[in-house]
Amino acid sequence: MRTATRSVRIYPELRAAQVHRDSQLMPAEGWFFNRNYDLPTEDVPDHFVQMNTRAALQAVARGDVSVLEVPELLWARELPRTVALLLVHKVCTHGSSRRVFYGIENNDPRRALFGTRGYPRLAVKLALTLVGATARLLVDGIAFGSQGAQRSYDALPFFRRIRSALIEELPARPSSQVTDSSGRRGAIFVGALEARKGITRLQAAWEQVEQALPGAVLTIVGDGPLHDDVRAWSEGKPDSRKFTGRLPHARVAELLQASTVLVAPSQREGRWREQVGLPIKEGLAAGVTVVSTSDTGLSSWLAAHGHFIVEGTDSALPEAIETALTQPLDPRAVVATLPAEDGRVVADRWLRAGQENPR
């Protein structure tokens, strides 16, 4: 009988950010099924192994994986493969072992799994019950990356009985001092130029901000389907609208350090809802005041720490941006609210060690 000694993380699609963060996490093999366009082959370390479903199931069936971290269960496209991996690991692994996942899905389970299509209510209820029961039988630990994610999973039957921890996915407090308010100016948007990220809503709101605050400047960083529309809109008033397109990460960090406000007005679309938002994490680490919506899983934390969460009316977003620009949080106070360690790193340690006090 083999002794289970290996630790494995499953990545449906391996991204550059995941590889870069890997050195901060506890040692584990990374099994991935696809590679994102942002990750050149030569940048993939040797302990990341590309698999197909059959190979992964066979590897798990050998019974020597002690900790298996799978994709979260509300990732609808991955659910069948994830359940198969959990079941094979449960059956084939002997001795001490753990099956875990990191949850950041910030959506109603019905919408996350079924989208907006109409299905018979009884069938949906049965499916959700099966997902919850499967988790109760096969999952040993869940680390939630946001209060929004915790609420989403707690809505599933049986989930409250599974051992879990809330470790919000906040960035670590920066070691170097951030610039104060006097060295900052304007608002910034960083992200994909598509409707669900709220860029169209921001454009309409900014036209009102321009009238209320002459001299205010909005910088838009990113690329996507609405690239040409955003560029043309920005060229209409180049003094108050700066469009950069896609930029290297280091340059984005510089722009965040020089900005007063980050606007991240994402809005749910189909089965998608903003989970955390990388620009929000990077903005907090830079000390900016955040204006966002409840469609980020961090909305409760942001509101509790003085940032702006908008809802409802068309006037709410421009009003929030105006207030944030004229009455921003002290950047030093923003970073002081952040934890000593990155939340994802702490969550990884908890998932593998199961410690009671994650921070």
Side-chain angles (χ1 to χ4, degrees):
M1 181 183 299
R2 295 192 181 199
T3 301
T5 59
R6 304 162 71 189
S7 183
V8 170
R9 292 187 195 91
I10 303 290
Y11 298 95
E13 182 180 69
L14 188 63
R15 297 172 177 268
Q18 293 166 331
V19 172
H20 295 158
R21 185 175 56 201
D22 179 73
S23 63
Q24 303 175 55
L25 306 181
M26 295 185 71
E29 298 174 39
W31 296 357
F32 66 99
F33 300 112
N34 295 291
R35 181 172 51 83
N36 190 265
Y37 70 88
D38 68 355
L39 182 62
T41 302
E42 60 271 17
D43 290 347
V44 180
D46 292 340
H47 64 278
F48 286 91
V49 182
Q50 185 154 16
M51 295 273 196
N52 56 38
T53 302
R54 180 177 179 180
L57 289 170
Q58 289 175 336
V60 170
R62 287 197 287 268
D64 60 353
V65 175
S66 58
V67 180
L68 178 69
E69 181 179 338
V70 296
E72 60 180 312
L73 289 186
L74 288 182
W75 192 336
R77 187 184 68 224
E78 288 296 316
L79 183 58
R81 179 162 56 192
T82 296
V83 172
L85 287 164
L86 289 169
L87 183 60
V88 171
H89 188 265
K90 174 79 169 180
V91 171
C92 298
T93 306
H94 305 283
S96 178
S97 64
R98 290 172 62 81
R99 289 163 295 280
V100 299
F101 70 81
Y102 181 66
I104 55 174
E105 179 57 62
N106 172 40
N107 211 342
D108 178 272
R110 295 169 181 79
R111 193 158 184 173
L113 294 176
F114 300 101
T116 57
R117 294 180 59 185
Y119 291 94
R121 183 176 300 179
L122 182 60
V124 171
K125 184 176 181 179
L126 177 61
L128 296 178
T129 300
L130 288 173
V131 172
T134 298
R136 180 70 180 90
L137 292 171
L138 300 179
V139 175
D140 299 301
I142 307 164
F144 296 116
S146 72
Q147 291 183 43
Q150 186 178 46
R151 287 192 293 267
S152 296
Y153 279 98
D154 280 352
L156 284 167
F158 308 113
F159 251 83
R160 291 178 182 269
R161 301 179 186 179
I162 303 173
R163 193 164 178 276
S164 65
L166 172 61
I167 308 168
E168 289 179 298
E169 192 171 325
L170 296 165
R173 192 180 310 124
S175 56
S176 57
Q177 190 171 3
V178 299
T179 56
D180 61 23
S181 299
S182 63
R184 297 171 181 262
R185 179 169 177 257
I188 186 170
F189 170 93
V190 180
L193 303 182
E194 53 188 4
R196 67 181 186 175
K197 291 294 186 176
I199 184 61
T200 304
R201 186 180 180 190
L202 173 57
Q203 289 172 266
W206 189 254
E207 291 174 4
Q208 297 183 50
V209 174
E210 289 172 327
Q211 296 177 23
L213 299 176
V217 176
L218 171 66
T219 301
I220 298 175
V221 181
D223 200 0
L226 298 177
H227 176 280
D228 292 343
D229 292 339
V230 173
R231 182 179 61 185
W233 176 81
S234 301
E235 290 173 348
K237 284 196 174 181
D239 290 340
S240 60
R241 307 168 187 173
K242 309 293 184 183
F243 177 53
T244 70
R246 183 179 295 173
L247 292 175
H249 184 265
R251 179 57 182 146
V252 176
E254 291 175 357
L255 289 174
L256 286 169
Q257 288 280 354
S259 299
T260 302
V261 174
L262 170 75
V263 189
S266 60
Q267 51 196 26
R268 67 181 69 190
E269 180 180 283
R271 62 161 49 100
W272 181 87
R273 192 181 187 191
E274 188 76 76
Q275 295 173 337
V276 173
L278 181 59
I280 292 177
K281 287 186 64 177
E282 295 183 341
L284 290 171
V288 301
T289 300
V290 176
V291 175
S292 190
T293 69
S294 61
D295 283 328
T296 168
L298 291 178
S299 60
S300 297
W301 185 94
L302 290 168
H305 290 83
H307 299 274
F308 296 83
I309 299 300
V310 299
E311 299 285 359
T313 65
D314 292 339
S315 64
L317 182 58
E319 289 174 358
I321 297 172
E322 291 167 25
T323 304
L325 284 170
T326 55
Q327 304 173 44
L329 300 172
D330 184 334
R332 292 164 296 188
V334 171
V335 300
T337 63
L338 301 177
E341 287 187 275
D342 185 283
R344 183 63 181 92
V345 175
V346 178
D348 182 75
R349 189 163 63 239
W350 184 88
L351 287 171
R352 275 154 180 76
Q355 61 190 62
E356 294 296 338
N357 300 307
R359 287 209 185 276

